[in-house]
Amino acid sequence: WFGADAADELATVQVLVAGGVELDRPSVTEGLTPLAMARERGYATLERVLAAAQRHRATDDPDAVLLASAAAGDADAVALAVRDGADLEARDAAGRTALLLASAGDHVEVARVLVALGADPDAVDAQQDTPWLVTGVTGSVEMLEVLLPAGPDLGLVNRFGGVSVIPASERGHVEYVRRVVDTGIDVDHVNRLGWTALLEAVILGDGGERHQEVVRVLLAAGADASIGDRDGVTPLGHAIRLGHEELAAVLREQR
């Protein structure tokens, strides 16, 4: 009644539905249920959620519905599965939780609801991924922002021994790298290959503008360009070897 048909109100209503809120209790003054209020205000999105909740009949396997809905990006169905008693940390055959499935699919609306309900951003699957680590692969800054309030462990590593900034640097996710270096993540972390984020950006990148900017961001964040690989070859050495002249120039500027 006092809100808007916007993202914050949507997540709030979905969380309340998940928590088991009474849907039919009318307000004292207006005599309107939440659904009637949404219709009165013309809040089509909130009306959608509340109408679905009114029609809903409990499922026999809420965990399966939760996981499938999270993978499909259906936040309304996620809320209803939790209302039916689904375990927030239920796992699929690959050990993935609903939050990990949402993160991998970049389903921000789903993740916002799950985080508000207390889902674990550090839940590790069979491939040693977590909801947080996956953001380094997708490069989703919006998902990063949703997960940060849940307090993810920035030091957890993927199956290659890397923190999230390393795959993000490899893939040239400039805006993600720009944001994640401000979280306190270790920009000089060395993975199992013996590579830092700088080395990964140079060795596995294409030397183009995106990877050049990633290198600039990492250097500005204090990344140590003197750290070499297991053979002692530095990022500059690899840039020269690969013929990435512009990238080499960026690294020389910081010497």
Side-chain angles (χ1 to χ4, degrees), residues 47-66:
E47 179 183 345
R48 179 202 76 204
V49 179
L50 292 164
Q54 291 276 28
R55 296 191 302 268
H56 179 67
R57 296 294 178 266
T59 177
D60 292 332
D61 192 353
D63 288 357
V65 173
L66 172 67

Side-chain angles (χ1 to χ4, degrees), residues 1 23 28 49 68 114 116 121 131 148 158 183 186-187 192 196 198-199 205 213 227 235-236 253:
W1 193 249
L23 296 166
V28 174
V49 179
L114 291 170
L148 272 180
N158 59 26
T183 64
D186 182 5
V187 294
R192 293 195 184 103
T196 61
L198 268 178
L199 282 164
E213 187 60 21
I227 299 175
L236 176 57
E253 288 172 4

Side-chain angles (χ1 to χ4, degrees), residues 76-237:
D76 295 353
V78 163
L80 291 170
V82 176
R83 186 180 182 88
D84 290 343
D87 180 357
L88 280 178
E89 304 305 327
R91 308 266 180 156
D92 67 7
R96 296 171 297 186
T97 63
L99 185 56
L100 179 47
L101 291 166
S103 183
D106 199 25
H107 301 310
V108 173
E109 185 182 323
V110 172
R112 188 175 286 116
V113 172
L114 291 170
V115 166
L117 290 168
D120 185 1
D122 297 329
V124 183
D125 73 356
Q127 193 170 260
Q128 210 172 334
D129 280 327
T130 71
W132 171 261
L133 284 171
V134 165
T135 64
V137 177
T138 65
S140 175
V141 177
E142 192 173 5
M143 185 64 72
L144 174 154
E145 298 290 4
V146 169
L147 294 177
L148 272 180
D153 183 348
L154 306 183
L156 284 180
V157 299
N158 59 26
R159 63 190 180 281
F160 303 110
V163 294
S164 72
V165 70
I166 294 182
S169 298
E170 170 204 335
R171 288 164 171 76
H173 293 320
V174 177
E175 294 309 315
Y176 182 93
V177 174
R178 197 187 310 281
R179 177 64 182 90
V180 81
V181 297
D182 287 334
T183 64
I185 201 165
D186 182 5
V187 294
D188 287 325
H189 177 88
V190 179
N191 66 15
R192 293 195 184 103
L193 298 173
W195 296 345
T196 61
L198 268 178
L199 282 164
E200 193 117 343
V202 174
I203 295 170
L204 298 181
D206 61 10
E209 291 183 5
R210 289 186 302 118
H211 287 95
Q212 291 169 36
E213 187 60 21
V214 164
V215 167
R216 289 189 187 95
V217 172
L218 290 170
L219 291 170
D224 188 348
S226 71
I227 299 175
D229 63 14
R230 288 173 178 166
D231 297 318
V233 182
T234 65
L236 176 57

